[in-house]
Amino acid sequence: MDPIIEMLRDENNAIEQLTARREELKRKLEEHRSGNISAEEFEKLSAERKDIEKELALRTKRRDELTAAADKNKNQGEGRGIMNDNLLHFKDGMERADIPATAEYRSAFFKRLQRKPLEDLEKRAMTSASTSAGAAIPTQTMDMIIGQLRESDSLLGLITLTNIPSLTSFPVENVVNDASWVSEGSDSTSSSDSLKAVSLAAYTLIKTIKITAQVARMSIDAFETWLVGALVRKLRAACDKAIISGTGTNQPTGLDTLTWNATNSVTVAKAATVTYDNLVDLEALVGESFINNAVWACNRKMKATLLKLKDDQKRPLFERAVEDGFVGTLLGYPVRLDANVKDGEMYFGDWKSGYVMNFAQPIEIASSEEAGFMSGSVVYRGMALADGKPTGVAGALVKLVQGTV
């Protein structure tokens, strides 16, 4: 059977099962209004439904792409799939920097990874674009990877994420004054606006993926979709962890390395419980320029603590939002869950102004059959050069922490 058709069948079966489970959860969640299930059970079912919604969205998108790839391949042949219509086409004499954006280079890149023969035009595109560092990832594929990282519901979806080659310094606002009114005929007075730079390096991040020979035989479009999805999941996990706890040594610098004091944090006594007043005090530390884009971030254990907070009318301060990509809202601001945030801690503020990460060069993808020789598998390696750091802009990000005494 055609690998695409087989994968399409599997996706349809999975979607059908997930849809049935989602409807079952919906009925159970509605029982909460009648008091038939506990708050703990409601929380567990809500979390499962959210996971199912995300998986359904990914599988539906993948099914649509596989369907389109199958239809296109019938009429256009290998390497002329769903994404080539909007790509440039290779011509001899093109600038080297433009070649990775062509359809011929893209098909040559993935055919070479799959050990498939190249057409003459694809060979010339690959040869013309190659440098001493090897073949660059196609422009469109890199855009897909960065786009999926930016759109994720993890911390990477909150921060400033860029893909600027050889970037070593990222400018951020430091002191910015308002415009001033002047009387007619008078000169304006210069204000002391200033910028500061966040220095970035290029640390190596590597992930290997082992797949069967059958998957390696799939079409260009299906293979690209699968490979990008697998890489994004692993890159996201590593980068999310670095945003919080990165040491800065051979990896990005995390928020944990900042100096947290009374100007940018609220400390709760070790034996005390987080209160409404603590949250209000933390909110007050965020600058006016950043409060409109503020988002809370905590782990699931801290969320359980927040769920128990109530106002004077015994109404929960935490408002549930089962349907959207966020977990809910607290004091009117979205909440994002991330397991990398430590127990007893919570961050709040404008993440785009508070943290920046850059991929200093396109991700390199290479393949090898040696590691999987006995099983007939192929190992694919994704390697990125990236760095990230807190901007240190006052009032952008603040922190609530459980004290040790």
Side-chain angles (χ1 to χ4, degrees):
M1 179 183 290
D2 187 332
I4 296 182
I5 301 301
E6 187 172 354
M7 294 175 68
L8 187 58
R9 181 195 61 190
D10 293 341
E11 291 297 329
N12 284 328
N13 290 337
I15 289 172
E16 183 178 350
Q17 294 174 9
L18 288 169
T19 301
R21 178 57 179 166
R22 180 183 63 181
E23 294 304 313
E24 180 183 357
L25 289 172
K26 182 179 179 180
R27 290 191 295 271
K28 289 184 177 181
L29 288 170
E30 289 174 350
E31 295 178 8
H32 180 63
R33 300 174 183 174
S34 304
N36 294 333
I37 61 175
S38 64
E40 291 76 12
E41 182 68 12
F42 180 87
E43 177 67 19
K44 180 181 178 180
L45 295 176
S46 297
E48 183 182 354
R49 182 177 177 181
K50 179 188 173 185
D51 292 340
I52 287 177
E53 292 286 359
K54 289 195 294 186
E55 186 173 357
L56 266 174
L58 291 173
R59 286 189 175 275
T60 300
K61 180 180 179 182
R62 177 171 170 76
R63 180 191 62 185
D64 294 343
E65 290 170 342
L66 288 171
T67 301
D71 292 340
K72 288 275 185 173
N73 285 343
K74 289 180 181 178
N75 301 320
Q76 299 179 11
E78 182 66 47
R80 298 292 189 269
I82 58 176
M83 299 177 185
N84 284 349
D85 294 340
N86 297 321
L87 294 179
L88 297 174
H89 287 280
F90 173 77
K91 295 180 180 179
D92 291 319
M94 288 182 71
E95 292 290 335
R96 176 179 289 172
D98 295 332
I99 297 175
T102 63
E104 290 76 15
Y105 180 85
R106 172 180 169 269
S107 61
F109 181 88
F110 285 105
K111 280 185 178 181
R112 192 178 69 167
L113 286 178
Q114 295 175 285
R115 303 295 196 268
K116 293 179 179 179
L118 306 185
E119 299 175 4
D120 289 340
L121 197 59
E122 292 170 338
K123 290 178 182 178
R124 296 207 301 273
M126 181 62 70
T127 302
S128 301
S130 295
T131 64
S132 58
I137 191 172
T139 302
Q140 174 189 347
T141 307
M142 187 63 189
D143 289 344
M144 286 176 61
I145 292 173
I146 296 298
Q148 289 188 26
L149 290 174
R150 285 195 184 117
E151 294 169 4
S152 71
D153 60 358
S154 67
L155 296 182
L156 272 178
L158 297 178
I159 67 169
T160 295
L161 181 63
T162 59
N163 176 29
I164 305 176
S166 304
L167 178 68
T168 58
S169 181
F170 191 89
V172 295
E173 293 181 349
N174 188 25
V175 177
V176 180
N177 296 281
D178 294 335
S180 58
W181 298 97
V182 297
S183 58
E184 185 176 356
S186 300
D187 294 333
S188 63
T189 302
S190 298
S191 57
S192 55
D193 291 0
S194 66
L195 297 174
K196 68 176 183 179
V198 177
S199 299
L200 296 174
Y203 299 120
T204 303
L205 176 62
I206 293 179
K207 174 59 188 175
T208 57
I209 306 167
K210 185 177 180 180
I211 66 174
T212 64
Q214 182 184 33
V215 178
R217 290 196 300 268
M218 69 177 68
S219 72
I220 297 295
D221 297 306
F223 179 68
E224 180 184 45
T225 299
W226 177 87
L227 190 59
V228 167
L231 283 175
V232 165
R233 286 193 298 273
K234 301 304 181 181
L235 290 173
R236 181 191 299 135
C239 291
D240 279 343
K241 183 176 181 180
I243 290 171
I244 298 297
S245 58
T247 64
T249 301
N250 297 323
Q251 61 182 276
T253 303
L255 295 174
D256 283 348
T257 64
L258 293 178
T259 299
W260 298 101
N261 52 40
T263 66
N264 60 6
S265 67
V266 170
T267 301
V268 181
K270 181 179 180 180
T273 302
V274 177
T275 66
Y276 171 77
D277 290 348
N278 295 145
L279 301 180
V280 171
D281 290 341
L282 192 66
E283 180 189 21
L285 294 178
V286 177
E288 291 296 330
S289 301
F290 310 114
I291 195 65
N292 289 335
N293 299 317
V295 176
W296 306 92
C298 63
N299 65 20
R300 194 170 293 278
K301 187 174 181 179
M302 174 59 84
K303 181 192 172 186
T305 298
L306 300 174
L307 284 170
K308 300 173 184 177
L309 296 179
K310 296 179 176 62
D311 62 16
D312 294 338
Q313 305 299 319
K314 303 301 181 181
R315 294 172 301 190
L317 297 178
F318 193 106
E319 297 183 11
R320 301 177 188 274
V322 178
E323 301 297 337
D324 62 16
F326 292 104
V327 177
T329 61
L330 185 65
L331 302 186
Y333 303 100
V335 178
R336 185 66 60 83
L337 289 183
D338 193 283
N340 296 296
V341 181
K342 295 183 177 63
D343 291 347
E345 297 184 358
M346 181 165 57
Y347 294 93
F348 180 62
D350 183 345
W351 291 78
K352 288 192 181 299
S353 298
Y355 197 96
V356 59
M357 181 175 286
N358 179 61
F359 283 83
Q361 73 175 41
I363 296 172
E364 174 190 313
I365 300 177
S367 63
S368 173
E369 295 179 337
E370 295 179 3
F373 177 78
M374 297 298 293
S375 61
S377 300
V378 180
V379 176
Y380 292 90
R381 183 195 68 190
M383 184 174 70
L385 295 180
D387 190 17
K389 284 184 178 179
T391 63
V393 175
L397 278 176
V398 296
K399 182 180 181 181
L400 183 144
V401 59
Q402 198 89 26
T404 56
V405 294

